[in-house]
Structures are given as structure tokens and as C-alpha cells.
Amino acid sequence: MYDQIITAYNEAIFDTDRDRALQVVRQAEQDGMSPEDIVFKLVMPAIELMLASVSEQMNANLAQHFLTSQIAAEVVEEMLPRFRQAPEACGTIVIGTSPGDFHGLGKRIVIGCLKAHMIETIDLGLNVAPERFVDEAVAHGAGVIGISSMMVHTARGENGCRMVRQILRERGLEGKIRIIVGGAPYRFDARLFKEVGADAWAENGIAAGSVIADLLQEVRP
Ligand code: B12
């Protein structure tokens, strides 16, 4: 029933045409598509479609990958207040890049995807000190800390995830807050997340959504 709308939206995304994609969303709403269907039948499937093609041609599709998640975040935020029944938020995550790491694109894509998964996401920005990850998680009542590292030395470094783990242990917070990591170094070595003291890792934003939802479930009071 929504075939034409879905095709028009996906085409706009593939052309990285943000305005046209948002125009399709507005028209869809005017034509009677519910905010719930816009989120779950239009915007979310487009992210999955994009990730499937990204794994085949990584660099060529980075712009689409980025745009898809950003539009998803934008549309979800706009549609949520109009849902007939407010969806239950799964919980909160704070996320930032590790100290010394200024690669922010992967993190931004993850944030877009998490918002689309109804996970409350606090962006701590770039080059985040380990104490700040923990302080902000406590301040926001977050059940998960997300650490993005695009370089091997910032993933493995003493001041990154390893130190966040140590602080959680020292403050007796390990039962309340989980750590998830992500970024290129973890893709090349699937055991690295354990080595640096994280509870989990995820390869991309879509995978991150379900892994984080599970972690939040584990620490739910
Ligand atoms: C763009 C880029 C830059 C840009 C960053 C712009 C920005 N605003 O982010 C600029 C030009 C600033 C830059 C600088 C540098 N860079 Co650079 N950069 C890259 C490049 C080309 C792409 C990285 C990127 O953005 N990828 C795109 C995103 C989408 O990546 P992604 O991994 O697919 O993200 C997904 C997953 O990883 C996951 N994910 C990501 N984060 C998280 C977090 C969580 C919690 C979870 C669950 C999942 C998750 O989800 C994401 C979305 O699906 C890479 C090379 C490459 N092809 O990877 C080099 C690269 C990362 N850079 C590198 C280097 C060395 C540098 C510099 C030191 C260069 C220099 N001599 O100055 C500086 C360092 C700056 C610093 N201190 O951080 C090296 C790192 C080498 C290494 N092995 O450690 C690389 C690999 C290039 C290379 N081959 O040498 N860089």
C-alpha cells in the first residue's frame, strides 16, 4: 500500500537528497500515513537497506549511510510526540569518542540509529575523558556507556575503555552500568572488546540498537 512512498523515500536517500527525503515524509503524513508507520515502515527499513549495501561498497555509500541515520533521527524525534501511544523508552546511553580520538562520523551514525530505536542518547562529543563518561552516565541515570574509537591506539589505550572499566569498578557501579564499544579496530579483531574491558561491541548502528537494548535490560532495576 505504501510502495510508492517507500520507493520515493529510498530514492531520495540514495541520491543523498535530504530535502526530498523529508518532503516525502511530509507528503506521506498528509496522505494519511501514521507517524508509527512513517517510523517503522519507512525510515527504519531504509537504514537496514542502506547498511546491507554499505557492507558491499563501504566508501561509496558513506554519504548515504550518514544521511539515512541523520534523517531517521530527525524524523523519529518529530514523529514521537504524535504517536497514539507513547512508546516506552528502553533506557539511556551516554556516548562519546575515546580520549585523543576526533573521528566523530561513526558515532553520529550510531546516535541516529539509536534514536530510531527509541533509546535515549546523550552525546558527550569527542575526546571524552574516562571520568566524564562515568560522571555523565551517573548524572543522566544511563545504564550504558558507549565508547567510539576509530584508531587502534585509542581503542587499546590505558585512558580509554580500560580506564572507564577501572573507574566503574572502583565506584562499585559495575552492576548498574554496562560498557559497549565500537569503531574500526573492533571490526578487525572481534576479541578486542573483551581485552579492553567492555561488556559488548557492535559492528554498526543497527546492530548497536539491539545489543544496547539487551544491555539496558540487564541493568534495569
Ligand atoms: C574521516 C577520517 C578522518 C577525519 C575525521 C573526520 C570526522 N569528523 O570524523 C580526519 C581527517 C579529521 C581524520 C584525522 C586523523 N586520522 Co583519520 N580517518 C578517517 C577515515 C577515512 C574514515 C573514518 C570514518 O569516519 N569512518 C566512517 C564511519 C562510518 O566508520 P564506521 O567504522 O563504519 O562506523 C560504524 C562502526 O564502526 C560502528 N561504531 C562506530 N563507533 C561506535 C561506537 C559504539 C558504541 C558502537 C556500538 C558502534 C560504533 O557504527 C558506525 C556506524 O554504522 C579512516 C579510514 C577508514 N577508511 O576507516 C581514517 C583513519 C581512522 N584515520 C587514521 C589516522 C591515523 C588519522 C590521523 C592520526 C591522521 C594524522 N596523521 O593526522 C588523524 C587523527 C585525528 C584524531 N586525533 O582523531 C587511521 C587510523 C590508523 C589506526 N590503525 O589506528 C585511519 C584508519 C586511516 C589509515 N588507514 O591510516 N581522519
Side-chain angles (χ1 to χ4, degrees):
M1 164 183 179
Y2 298 134
D3 287 357
Q4 275 180 328
I5 297 173
I6 291 169
T7 306
Y9 183 78
N10 289 344
E11 278 175 4
I13 294 291
F14 273 85
D15 291 344
T16 60
D17 190 335
R18 177 181 172 280
D19 291 346
R20 183 147 54 93
L22 290 176
Q23 213 179 327
V24 173
V25 169
R26 310 256 174 280
Q27 189 61 48
E29 207 181 5
Q30 270 179 25
D31 291 347
M33 194 170 185
S34 69
E36 287 87 341
D37 281 353
I38 288 176
V39 170
F40 295 115
K41 295 195 175 150
L42 189 62
V43 171
M44 301 280 284
I47 304 184
E48 308 228 14
L49 192 71
M50 185 55 58
L51 280 173
S53 68
V54 160
S55 55
E56 284 160 23
Q57 312 172 23
M58 177 65 205
N59 291 329
N61 287 314
L62 181 57
Q64 286 107 320
H65 188 186
F66 187 66
L67 182 78
T68 313
S69 61
Q70 296 311 305
I71 293 184
E74 220 172 295
V75 173
V76 169
E77 262 168 29
E78 193 181 318
M79 295 297 150
L80 277 183
R82 297 188 221 153
F83 273 27
R84 272 186 301 272
Q85 210 178 5
E88 207 187 319
C90 309
T92 303
I93 169 172
V94 294
I95 185 168
T97 70
S98 45
D101 205 318
F102 289 84
H103 294 88
L105 285 177
K107 171 178 69 67
R108 283 184 69 184
I109 291 173
V110 172
I111 290 173
C113 295
L114 295 186
K115 286 189 174 164
H117 271 92
M118 321 291 171
I119 294 170
E120 179 83 37
T121 308
I122 315 283
D123 185 1
L124 303 180
L126 307 174
N127 186 29
V128 180
E131 297 78 12
R132 184 158 171 247
F133 273 114
V134 178
D135 290 345
E136 297 272 7
V138 171
H140 292 282
V144 176
I145 291 173
I147 308 173
S148 177
S149 308
M150 285 293 157
M151 295 188 287
V152 173
H153 70 275
T154 55
R156 290 185 171 275
E158 284 305 320
N159 257 335
C161 184
R162 292 178 205 271
M163 184 59 78
V164 174
R165 165 62 62 203
Q166 190 180 318
I167 298 170
L168 287 182
R169 194 174 300 135
E170 284 167 4
R171 296 196 197 168
L173 291 168
E174 284 183 301
K176 292 185 180 152
I177 300 174
R178 296 281 189 263
I179 307 174
I180 184 168
V181 289
Y186 299 102
R187 269 209 307 268
F188 296 118
D189 179 356
R191 288 162 307 172
L192 181 59
F193 79 96
K194 277 202 178 140
E195 203 184 298
V196 300
D199 295 294
W201 82 286
E203 188 167 8
N204 56 51
I206 286 286
S210 50
V211 178
I212 290 169
D214 288 347
L215 292 175
L216 286 167
Q217 193 65 38
E218 284 174 26
V219 294
R220 192 168 269 195

